[in-house]
Amino acid sequence: MKLFKFAQSRSLWMMHFCTGCGAVELPPTMTSRFDMERFGIIPMATPRQSDLLLITGYLTVKTLKRVVRAYEQMPTPRYVIGFGSCTINGGMYWDSYNVIKKLELYIPVDLYINGCMPRPEAIIDAFLKLREMIDKGEANAWKKYIENYEWYKKNQAEVFDVEKWSLKK
Amino acid sequence: MVSPILVIALSLFFAFVIPLLGMVSKKLPRLVPPLAMLVNLWILITNIKFVSRGAMLVTTAGLKPPIAINLAIDRFSLLFVILIQLIGLLLSVYYLSQDNRDQRFYMLFLLNILGASGIVMTGDIFNSFVFLEILEISSFGLVASKKDRKALEGGFKYMVIGAIGSSLYLLGIIVLYLTTGSLNMAEIAKLMPHIPESIKLFAALLLLAGIGVEVELFPLNAWAPDAYHGAKDEISTQLSSIISKAGIYLAARIFFTIFNGFYALKIIFYLGVITFVIAELAALMQKNVKRMLAYSSIGQMGLLMLILSLVAKRGDVFVITTVILLALNHAFGKGLLFLSLGALSGGNGEYEIENLGGNGRANPLAGFLFTVGALSIVGMPFFFGFWSKISALISLMKTNVIYLIALVLVISLVEIYYYGNVIVNLFRGEGKKYGISIVPAAVMILFALFVIVFGIWPHPVFQIAQSAAVSLIERTTYISSIIGGM
Amino acid sequence: MTVEETIKKDIETTFGELVRVEIERKHRVRAYTPRNMVLPMLAYLKQRGFHQFTLLTCVDWIKDGKFELVYNLYSLNYNVHVLISTKINRDKATMPTAINVYEMAFDYEREIHEMFGVEFEGHPRLDEFLLEDWKGIPPMRKDFDTRKYVEEKYGMKDLTKELFTRKEQPYRGPGSNG
Amino acid sequence: MAMFYLLLLLVLVGIVSFVLGPIKVLRNIIAFLGAVTAFFYFLTNIKPGLIYSLNIRVYNVHFEAGFSSMFFGVIITALFIIFLIASFHEENDGAYYLFAYLTLTGALAVLFAKDLISFFFFFETMSLFSFLMVLKGKSDTSFRSAFKYLVWSVFGGYAFLMGTFLKVYYTHSVMIGDISYLAGGVKLLILILLLAPFAVKAALMPFHLWAPDAYKDSKDTFTVFFSGGLSKIGVFGYFLVLFKVFTEIAVKYPYFLKAFAWLGAITAALSGIYAFMQDDAKKLLAYSSISQLGYVAVGFGIYTHFSVVAALFHALGHAVFESLLFLVVAGVYYRTKTTDLRKMGGLIKRMPLSFIGLLFGIIATSGIPPTIGFPSKWLLYEALILKGDLLLTSLVFFASITAFLYSYKLVHGIFLGKLHEEHKNVKEAPLGYAFGTVVLLVPLLVLGIIPGLVIKPIDYIVRFYLKPELGYNLANMNTPLGHVNFPVVGLVMGLTFALSLFIYLIAGKSYRAEQTDNYTATEAIDEDFELHYAGEFYGFMKKAFGRPLTWSFEKILNAFLKLFSFLGEVARGFYMGDARVYLFYVIAFFALLAYLMGGKL
Amino acid sequence: MSILYFFLYLLLVTIIGLLYMGAARKITAHIQNRYGPPVYQPILDVLKLFAKKDTASHGIMHSLGPVIAYTGIAATLLFLPLGNHTPLLHFNGDLFVVLYLLVVGPLGMALGAGESANSNATIGIARALSMMLGYEIIFFMATLPVFYHYGTASIYRVIQAQGAFPDWAAILFPISFIAGLFALQGLMGEKPFELVVAPHEIASGPMVEYGGKYLGLLQIWHAVGIIVETGLFVDIFFGPQSILWFFAGTFIVFFATVIVNAVMPRFRIEQAVRFYWGLPLLLSILGILQVYIWR
């Protein structure tokens, strides 16, 4: 249904779960100078109500456990945007023992924004990019998570005790 | 027709036979009192039919009334005598189960019953004084028979005040003798209108002092709590059921037949109210159940005297039947309470509410009987107490003393509160178990039966009480049948 | 006589030759004390007015097989930092806790225990502090090879090899490598 | 004559079930059959207007079956049967059933009694045997609360007796007759005294102190009959005194009625507040029952045709939904052995039928349309506005708001939320309870949709005393103010429910997330993590109410009791001391007497 | 035929409600000096929510909660005359039927949220119900004098009884009108009294476990709620209006509450309840006294 596709792209509810140093970029995007609400993106309090998860910056193992749980609690279809290079290859924490290097291995990511913390304009641009991807129907990373669920779980198991943290579907 | 004089003669005979039997064997004296009671009852029952109309005259030594001592029994006195003998019989059966008594105790017990029935039957004032003396002395002895400090103290107080009371009683009799010249009640009653007011009042007051001690009126009942508290349970039952009933009879006889009810009765009315209020309130604060029961029994006696004094105003048969009902309820209900308290505390005398806690659950029969007794005294429906309380209130209303009903109701609410406190405490927590042998249990159940059976169907008791009340009211027939019968 | 000198003289007079005190620069006095003198020194300085326990750090001298524990104290009215450093041997590193002198030391000691493996006797809670279910040896120790750990844990081996290799730097003494 | 046979039958069944005590099965059957025959006998033979007097020589007892006694009699006997069926599951001895039957006899006899003395006699028997029933309660505090209940009901009884004697003294007739022609303030005094026992029974504010403890501590199934049935005697008493005994009360004492209405409203509001502060299910329901009875008192206080019909209808409603709630809580206690809201939760998964019962019960308690609670509340408000005192209407509305609070807390505490470990394998409430729940649900809904069924008999009762103004037929009720068509309300609610259900179904599918899959700021939680809480549910309201919440009638009563114990101390003081002192008393007394009588000597 | 008309009517009101919510977000945005989403944004949100594939549910009661909520508000809508246009039912909606149906909404949502066993939800429900002790009483006491003055309990007749502009109930009873405004702020759950859905404190309160279609239903419920609550207020205080003027009236009232919402911080729960027992209670009592004196 085209109307639903249109609605899904126009109203993205963002999970206000700022994980890394990029979180400080979000307030300016939300408030009057850049105003992301123009595009129908408002921060929501709980994963149940939101469909967009922002991984802003480096992701330590500790926060990864919470992120995976939040991700699984979000209703499908859900999208993930990775901020900065830390989500791509670990960035400057490439050799740190507690930062995960590749976000891809653990949760499927739709979109990356490069820049060691992208400015609000880049973020707004990413949101519009995501809107196009949804319109074109390309943004279905969440299907990948469901299809090769075991692969993701295996990767996660390497890093933390999956049994305790992941939801029993 | 077996002459009722035998009742007195026989009990005297048995009382003095006991020491002889005592020498023969330890067991025998215990059997004598029940035997005596039985014989007396038999005699009395045979005489019922003679008393259907007015009073029945029993002459002694062949001489006519004004001179010799004689017995004047009408339905009212017969009812009381039977009541006294009946309770005496029950108590004596109760004593059968206790073998740690010496024969002196049985003598005192028989003398006590003798005194009581003597007062009720006699037609001669001086004779009533003699029986009053016998009654008081024997009850001093009974109270002090437990030989521990509290009993002796109770007995001593009872004796001191009893002696004062009876001496004043004697003075009253002398005054009456001087003015009327005769000792026979009927004679005095006939001459009463001729006695000047002030002397009549003076005599009444003196007599009131003597009776007041027995009937536990306000200033004179100071001995009662200690005596009841000190004495053994059976003795306090006797005190409350038998001796006070004799006091009630004497008061009724003197103040109605002789004095034909006059303004002196106002004093009894006020005394009754004060006794009732003070005794019940004092009971509220009691921690010791035995003492609480003592106060409650004084309160009941106060209520009884209160209603008795109302008769004078308007000699209404209903009011007197209420007096009799209250007396019966008090005799059986209070007796049941004292006996079951004995069973509950196992006779070792610790009656504090705390250490009685849970005993009701430990020995269920005694607990149940205690509750029945309490509910009856308090006047709950389906118990005899209900009818007596309702008729008491109706009689209060009949003599249009309305504000008093409120007072009586409030005070009985207090009564329920403290009885309820004890009952609740009895059935809570774990208590100590005391065995009761069959005989005392049987006696108690008999008491309880009276209260419950006549609670559900009070009609027969009403019948008897009504007829007895009628006979008390017809003063003239009483006098004529005694003197006129010359 | 600047404030630092008065404090230096004061410490030297009270603790004598056991303690080597030097004024590194304005507002900072450094004292090298043996192991057992640390607690009395802390107590004395607290009583002298150094109320703030700013920091407790640990330096891993793997060559000499020693841990260097540096207690940073600061007094507001003197506006002077005093650094008490002591050396404890590395393998079974134990140190009496400073909690009963300075409450603040509680978390620092926990962190150092987790990161370096120093056992603080008398510390109530030396359990897991920052790292959740960490299995390896305390990560801040020099003998913990982060790059090898990252390779087998996160599979990031090739990139670092060919882009740049870092030669082993010669050791130029304390405070030199900035 | 039929009335006497009915009472006799009940007493006999009671005695038989006592005698058959140990043989449980036989006793239960006999008890059940007895109750059912009594119920049908009641329906068939007891015609209104039947008069019968029994002379027991000492006193003659007069019976007369009026319309109101029929109305209340049917409610009480029906509830008795439900109580009986449920009580077979609990292990209780023969005496329990004897006392139950005798309480019922007392209650029915009170309904029939025509003269005041026998009214008092049966009222006392009812109180005595219900006291013994509460005495058989489950917890150790049941003795204390039973005793409190006895003292209160005897206080009521004695006030009634005092009123009776005053009445007899002035009107020389013991029958329940009119006293409004008496002169002076005495008729107000008689009115208050006669009203006291029913205020105690229907737990009006100052007299309600016994109710929460007695309801909490009596056996669960008995509380169903105790709060549902016996409180109706209080309501019958209101009707009796305010209409039969004092016909022109509206003319002579309008202020008394106004005060009575305000008292009812205050009871409703205050006990509503206490209710939602309680953490124990049965205590909460006890206060809710008192609050609902407060509305009935308001209805009687307004004294117009609408308000009295509303009050009687609400009394019927109260009997239905209050006993339903108590029955469900009893079923829950039977399974989980606790009524503490803090220890329960999530039982909807294990006891669905009880949940439905409780859900409709609380909907009725808060007076939401499709159920029986709404028509009576609606009519009451109409009456209040017609009468014109708006402040009273607001207070009653405040009280009905508290109904939402405590009823939701009840459902939340017991059924919603996380299932505790120990309740994992709890089965549904046993058959007896389930049967009672279903039976009570039927009137709750049917009378909510078509209230006309019951309004007719009620109107028939009130028509005799007050000019009928309420226009009604089976489906709707109209008053000068407004007009409501109840089936339409129900229909609309059903329709909209179907619509939203349809919307719900066409949308996407949903999966069943199990308990630990819950948003707790994405922390992992395991089984025994305490997610669900019901204790201190409105804890913050304590701060909102602040200090007034701490005042309680208990304190006032204790202060009053101290007065008596002070008097007791004084009286006891008199009996201390030894023989000499007593001697002094005697002599002093006679000296005083002599002095008094001096003049006449 | 009436069923179809009934659905259309409900759909129309829902859409208008959603547009109101969009307007509210637009107004708040402009107050905060930013553009804010397009007015039809809530409609898109609702469509997106209904397009959600699968959402978590904690049990039948959990999923039925929003259904009952929507039933309550839809039924209230039908009993509420909008201006002088009565809904399909000739039965002129009675005040108490409306008031008690208004409560079905929150109760249904509370039951559903309770089943989700989330502590945030429980706190939210406790706050929602306690708040009722505050605003519900004031609302009732504010509207009572109007009904009493016009001697009827049916909203429809109250509307007819009020004449043209000068003798509107708002003019005749100014004190009650102001008290009604205070109460409306609480009834709508706007900022100073937005304790129930306080996103920062209790993660959107009862809605914490609702996602996807449940949240969609709750959004519609909120939308229709706006129309019903403001509509009730307008009916009582602003007299007979044509449909257009009625919606204009409701928008103005809604506009007032939104402005207050945009600038006010949030009360603590006991402050909120206590606030209602202060000034608003006094005002409403004065209103009632005014009726007595004036009548």
Side-chain angles (χ1 to χ4, degrees), chain A residues 125-164:
Chain A
D125 177 42
F127 285 147
L128 292 180
K129 183 72 174 65
L130 182 66
R131 179 187 278 191
E132 281 152 34
M133 282 170 68
I134 297 170
D135 282 347
K136 286 210 253 359
E138 289 156 4
N140 36 38
W142 54 276
K143 290 204 181 82
K144 269 200 308 182
Y145 191 78
I146 293 170
E147 275 132 21
N148 24 45
Y149 182 76
E150 282 65 29
W151 181 70
Y152 279 106
K153 279 299 166 206
K154 186 171 63 55
N155 293 347
Q156 287 163 10
E158 278 159 27
V159 183
F160 63 87
D161 149 26
V162 170
E163 211 39 54
K164 175 167 180 282

Side-chain angles (χ1 to χ4, degrees), chain D residues 411-445:
Chain D
V411 141
H412 182 81
I414 299 174
F415 287 101
L416 302 181
K418 201 163 91 64
L419 193 59
H420 288 267
E421 267 319 295
E422 65 272 15
H423 301 150
K424 267 280 181 287
N425 33 43
V426 159
K427 288 191 297 304
E428 179 50 275
L431 186 60
Y433 297 93
F435 172 78
T437 320
V438 168
V439 160
L440 281 171
L441 267 179
V442 166
L444 190 118
L445 287 172

Side-chain angles (χ1 to χ4, degrees), chain E residues 5 11 32 57 62 78 80 87 104 122 176 200 228 230 239 258 263:
Chain E
Y5 172 75
L11 190 65
Q32 294 164 0
S57 149
H62 181 71
L78 285 171
L80 187 68
V104 171
T122 321
S176 311
H200 316 294
V228 165
T230 40
V258 161
V263 290

Side-chain angles (χ1 to χ4, degrees), chain B residues 157 160 205 209 221-222 226 281 285-286 295 361 381-382 386 393 400 409 416-417 420 424 427 459 462, chain D residues 57-58 120-121 124-125 143 147 154 158 161-162 165 168-169 564 568-569 571-572 575 582-583 590 593 600:
Chain B
K157 278 187 192 150
V160 164
L205 280 184
N221 59 10
D226 303 331
L281 284 177
M285 290 311 297
Q286 278 312 319
Y295 281 121
R361 198 168 279 178
F382 286 112
F386 176 76
L393 291 174
N400 50 46
L409 285 180
I416 290 174
Y417 184 79
V424 163
F427 287 97
H459 167 53
F462 262 81
Chain D
R57 211 85 76 257
V58 160
F120 168 74
F121 177 81
E124 279 304 309
T125 42
F143 275 99
F147 165 59
V154 164
Y158 280 162
L161 198 59
M162 188 60 206
F165 280 115
V168 167
Y169 183 74
F564 272 96
E569 273 309 315
R572 211 158 67 83
Y575 286 103
Y582 295 160
L583 215 57
F590 273 97
L593 217 60
K600 297 182 184 55

